[in-house]
Amino acid sequence: MRIAITGTPGVGKTTVSKILGEKLNYKVIDITEVVKKFKLYKEYDKDMDSYVIDFDKLKDFLKDKDNVILDGHVSHLLDPDYTIVLRCNPKIIEERLKKRGYSEKKILENVQAEILDVCLCESKEKVYEINTTGKDPEEIANEIVKAIKEGKERKGVVNWLDKYIDYLI
Ligand code: ADP
Ligand code: MG
């Protein structure tokens, strides 16, 4: 099985993926890392300060990989069997991305993406969404293991839009 751990940058994907990988004995593939390492991109977008992924190359790289966790904010687009969408309060994401040294523009883009449920909306079945706000990574990983075992699907656990609409205007 292929499990996608997706969500806005800063939401906690890599932290949770590592713990989940150990629990399930699955290998974790950090999508951003392999895209850079194996040059699975079309170009570097200076304006966005990120690589434009070549999805054909990336899918080809992943085609023989099974029993893996795909850790990345586009992992839900890589034909997973299960998609876990992590959510987190936009203010916390903002703080985390500031610490990471992201530009103001990149921070705002990501905060807006979280508020607008972008990763969730793009995800195809089976989807299980978790609000990670205030939960520790171990607890989140346990919840994922349980959800997968029981074949659970869930969408619509947060509504940031009502509270954080100011970020969009
Ligand atoms: P992502 O891979 O989604 O960009 P990371 O896993 O790198 O996110 O986490 C971003 C930051 O937030 C890290 O400093 C990490 O230690 C912290 N973090 C991640 N998950 C949690 C959590 N559940 N509770 C508190 N801090 C967290
Ligand atoms: Mg990460």
Side-chain angles (χ1 to χ4, degrees), residues 39-95:
K39 297 194 165 54
L40 310 173
Y41 49 80
K42 287 181 175 159
E43 57 179 2
Y44 180 72
D45 185 336
K46 246 187 176 174
D47 205 39
M48 295 284 283
D49 186 25
S50 63
Y51 288 95
V52 180
I53 295 173
D54 185 327
F55 276 88
D56 289 338
K57 280 188 192 163
L58 178 56
K59 283 186 178 179
D60 192 54
F61 171 82
L62 294 170
K63 73 173 186 291
D64 54 352
K65 313 261 190 301
D66 197 14
N67 291 347
V68 286
I69 292 169
L70 306 177
D71 160 19
H73 67 280
V74 296
S75 61
H76 56 281
L77 302 174
L78 301 170
D79 309 318
D81 300 297
Y82 229 112
T83 299
I84 307 296
V85 185
L86 301 183
R87 308 301 304 271
C88 186
N89 185 298
K91 284 202 181 292
I92 297 175
I93 288 187
E94 186 180 27
E95 286 310 312

Side-chain angles (χ1 to χ4, degrees), residues 96-129:
R96 289 180 184 167
L97 297 182
K98 257 185 207 161
K99 273 192 199 148
R100 208 178 261 184
Y102 277 23
S103 67
E104 295 252 334
K105 184 175 173 237
K106 206 167 167 181
I107 292 171
L108 184 63
E109 260 163 16
N110 283 308
V111 166
Q112 289 178 336
E114 177 60 21
I115 294 168
L116 291 170
D117 309 322
V118 171
C119 288
L120 178 72
C121 292
E122 288 175 357
S123 293
K124 294 177 206 118
E125 52 156 340
K126 292 181 157 186
V127 176
Y128 188 80
E129 187 189 20

Side-chain angles (χ1 to χ4, degrees), residues 8-15 96 100 135-137 140:
T8 309
V11 82
K13 298 180 296 296
T14 301
T15 308
R96 289 180 184 167
R100 208 178 261 184
K135 290 183 188 162
D136 78 83
I140 299 160

Side-chain angles (χ1 to χ4, degrees), residues 129-162:
E129 187 189 20
I130 302 177
N131 182 6
T132 68
T133 314
K135 290 183 188 162
D136 78 83
E138 179 76 26
E139 186 187 349
I140 299 160
N142 285 337
E143 190 177 340
I144 296 170
V145 171
K146 192 165 182 282
I148 292 172
K149 255 190 198 157
E150 296 173 3
K152 283 189 188 170
E153 294 179 62
R154 184 172 73 182
K155 273 183 174 187
V157 299
V158 298
N159 177 1
W160 305 135
L161 197 56
D162 283 352

